[in-house]
Amino acid sequence: MAGTTPDFDAVVIGAGFSGLYMLKSLRDKLGLRVRVYEAGDTVGGTWYWNRYPGARCDSDAYIYVCTWDKQLLQEWEWSERYPTQPEILRYLEHVAKRHDLKRDIQFGTRVTGGEFDEGTNLWKVHTDKGEEVTARFLIAAVGTLSATNLPQFKGLEKFKGKWYHTSRFPKEGVDFTAKRVAVVGTGATAVQAIPEIAQQAKQLTVFQRTANYCVPARNGKVDPEVTKARKADYDGIVKRIRESFFGQEHYFIPKSALEVSREERERELDKRWDAGGFAFWLANYQDMFFSKEANEVIADYLRRKIRATVKDPKVADKLIPQGHYYGTKRQPLDTNYFETFNKDNVLLVDATADGKIEEITEKGIRAGGKEYEFDIIVFATGFDAMTGPLKALNLKGRGGRTLDKEWVDGPHTYLGVSVAGFPNLFTITGPQSPSVLSNMPVSIEQHVEWITDCIDNMRKTGKTTIEATPQAQDQWVAHVNEIVNMTLMTSANSWYMSANIPGKPRAFLPYLGPEGVGGYRKKCDEVAAKGYEGFQLA
Ligand code: NAP
């Protein structure tokens, strides 16, 4: 029955950066019949859902783009160094319109399940609208940080005020004026939201479980001459970010932080601090992620910055990170974050010690035996990262296997793009690929192009299924772990380590390759050049 004609050649799930480009490539390059399902009512993915105050991109706008649309690279003008959520949404709407993508996207529709039929070699896909369609290929473009993590706080249903999760903020916004507001969480999202909310709220109380090493974003207008020069050099920029470690124009200092004099080190750190953005994190001394001693001298610099900014030494003490090495949790970029704790209307509660959240009450939050009253609670508590959105698809591969069972001890993938036992399923920026450790569009485009070439090759060679072999997958998983185990990353209770969700098996989720995204790209290309080594084609 392998010759049965499916409803679609490919079903793509999600219409963010990845789903849009996947649709464009399969439909306009290969001429396939494609259906995209998207739960939101328009395109955008992450940028559709994350509408919290202060939401903006942490990558510089000039590299947070669809590099596949060269004309648009020249035409589009970003208003600031880091675009806001509405601006990115406008950009993606524009992309969808320019390429007439919406006609193949069914909005307001969530994929609720899918089974691989071993008789027909087709995926049968179900949606919450009661549809059932078949497709040769199933492509998950569901994002890495899209499954909301709302901790199971006792009593939330009793709260008489309003509560929101940052990843599901109302479209019309929330007016915090004259309100008593709580923010739970101090990750990259909260670090953006807290200074904005503090400007409006009568009283803002921040419940912090883990303090973070933040560095300044230094947002602002970009010098038109710089923009002009970048536009003239886009081919060069695209080549460099594709070959780079993190999909950005940042490069480690090829020295140890310990081999240089204190003066030289301070000068280098000052330069990165003053430049703002990810330079401090991703263009620092090369041993920062490996050597505790090197990491410590850099962390010390950041601790001094916090003490110099926060007026009350007791508050500064609470804001100084403890228990994890610098850079092992995602770098939050801030605009007046530490300064916000100098405001009279802002209170910081240490939610690990005397302020541990016990329950949500009718009036607010009981923490450390004390009840705090609020009109609004904002949960900035993050995501069930990387594996969460894929598990939520309820897919059944060969023999009815599920990701829940296959991944009971953490993800098992081959190259982060394929899972053994799930033929013709591709996961864009899936677990154990560089994805979240890179500037996302760079990794997204690499996967989309690799998947497109793979499907094209299958058609040309008359193959109907491709799946990772269990052996290749085991080797990849071992390789991912071997590399990360050489670094300090595994020591942190980060979402990278799956440690933010109680009961989630502790495992490093992305892939930190020895040569970053550039090396990973080479590896994927080699696999293809060797006839899709590690895959079984039939
Ligand atoms: P996050 O980094 O996971 O932070 C969640 C926060 O909530 C943490 O402070 C966490 O504390 C706290 N938390 C979780 N459960 C809690 C509980 N039961 N009680 C008290 N506190 C609790 O999530 P996020 O800030 O949403 O960021 C997730 C990722 O999204 C980022 O790392 C980044 O990759 C991405 N992001 C990107 C941008 C951008 O580029 N524009 C902006 C924002 C976010 P612990 O640290 O102790 O777990």
Side-chain angles (χ1 to χ4, degrees), residues 46-47 50 52 54-59 64 83 88 145 149 151-153 165-167 184-192 207-212 278 329-331 351-352 357 379-383 436 493-496 499-502:
T46 282
W47 300 104
N50 287 270
Y52 59 85
R56 65 168 77 236
C57 183
D58 280 342
S59 289
Y64 202 80
I88 303 174
L145 296 157
N149 170 39
Q152 300 295 304
F153 290 117
H165 192 283
T166 45
S167 69
V184 179
T186 50
T189 296
V191 166
Q192 289 184 335
F207 290 85
Q208 170 189 272
R209 191 165 72 176
T210 307
N212 264 308
F278 283 140
K329 296 189 87 158
R330 158 60 150 78
Q331 173 70 72
T352 52
I357 296 178
F379 295 102
T381 45
F383 302 91
V436 292
N493 287 328
S494 62
W495 63 257
Y496 294 142
N500 61 326
I501 311 248

Side-chain angles (χ1 to χ4, degrees), residues 94-366:
H94 184 69
V95 169
K97 193 160 175 219
R98 257 169 92 73
H99 297 278
D100 193 16
L101 297 177
K102 284 195 178 179
R103 72 179 147 95
D104 292 306
I105 307 174
Q106 187 171 318
F107 293 104
T109 306
R110 185 174 287 281
V111 168
T112 51
E115 298 99 44
F116 182 74
D117 182 327
E118 295 183 60
T120 58
N121 285 335
L122 297 178
W123 278 95
K124 201 181 277 175
V125 178
H126 312 271
T127 76
D128 62 355
K129 296 288 177 289
E131 285 153 300
E132 189 180 289
V133 297
T134 54
R136 174 74 59 210
F137 297 101
L138 181 60
I139 300 165
V142 290
T144 51
L145 296 157
S146 49
T148 296
N149 170 39
L150 181 66
Q152 300 295 304
F153 290 117
K154 189 177 139 203
L156 181 57
E157 69 292 347
K158 291 190 207 145
F159 183 55
K160 291 271 197 282
K162 298 247 190 274
W163 67 265
Y164 308 95
H165 192 283
T166 45
S167 69
R168 292 291 180 273
F169 240 59
K171 275 190 190 161
E172 61 283 8
V174 174
D175 186 3
F176 294 101
T177 313
K179 297 283 195 279
R180 297 162 305 168
V181 183
V183 171
V184 179
T186 50
T189 296
V191 166
Q192 289 184 335
I194 284 166
E196 297 288 325
I197 297 174
Q199 284 182 40
Q200 279 185 32
K202 182 165 94 185
Q203 170 71 38
L204 171 64
T205 305
V206 176
F207 290 85
Q208 170 189 272
R209 191 165 72 176
T210 307
N212 264 308
Y213 293 101
C214 306
V215 302
R218 304 215 189 281
N219 188 33
K221 300 275 175 223
V222 177
D223 179 345
E225 287 305 313
V226 170
T227 300
K228 203 169 141 200
R230 283 174 176 162
K231 288 195 174 190
D233 182 33
Y234 249 125
D235 285 347
I237 289 170
V238 171
K239 183 170 186 301
R240 288 196 294 280
I241 59 178
R242 285 178 167 215
E243 290 172 357
S244 70
F245 205 106
F246 294 110
Q248 322 228 357
E249 291 196 279
H250 290 312
Y251 307 95
F252 293 120
I253 305 172
K255 284 181 185 177
S256 163
L258 304 172
E259 75 178 74
V260 295
S261 67
R262 184 183 159 87
E263 293 69 34
E264 179 180 336
R265 191 168 59 231
E266 289 284 308
R267 245 191 342 268
E268 291 294 344
L269 296 181
D270 281 348
K271 254 196 252 168
R272 284 152 184 78
W273 178 265
D274 293 342
F278 283 140
F280 201 94
W281 189 35
L282 306 179
N284 215 311
Y285 288 97
Q286 65 179 10
D287 52 349
M288 186 187 89
F289 287 105
F290 300 95
S291 153
K292 293 177 184 172
E293 295 74 22
N295 193 284
E296 170 54 24
V297 292
I298 296 164
D300 174 65
Y301 178 94
L302 293 171
R303 288 194 290 265
R304 281 183 275 133
K305 290 290 185 193
I306 298 172
R307 286 199 200 287
T309 309
V310 181
K311 289 186 185 141
D312 181 339
K314 284 196 191 126
V315 177
D317 273 347
K318 283 190 200 169
L319 287 167
I320 286 179
Q322 309 282 345
H324 66 275
Y325 294 103
Y326 169 61
T328 56
K329 296 189 87 158
R330 158 60 150 78
Q331 173 70 72
L333 297 188
D334 87 86
T335 301
N336 298 327
Y337 178 67
F338 291 119
E339 289 83 348
T340 297
F341 293 94
N342 292 333
K343 289 173 97 121
D344 292 337
N345 67 332
V346 178
L347 175 71
L348 178 66
V349 175
D350 179 348
T352 52
D354 51 345
K356 191 168 182 335
I357 296 178
E358 289 150 19
E359 62 173 331
I360 312 292
T361 65
E362 273 186 30
K363 292 182 181 164
I365 295 178
R366 186 183 306 283

Side-chain angles (χ1 to χ4, degrees), residues 471-482:
Q471 296 79 357
Q473 177 166 285
D474 288 349
Q475 279 171 17
W476 185 252
V477 175
H479 169 67
V480 169
N481 291 324
E482 187 190 345

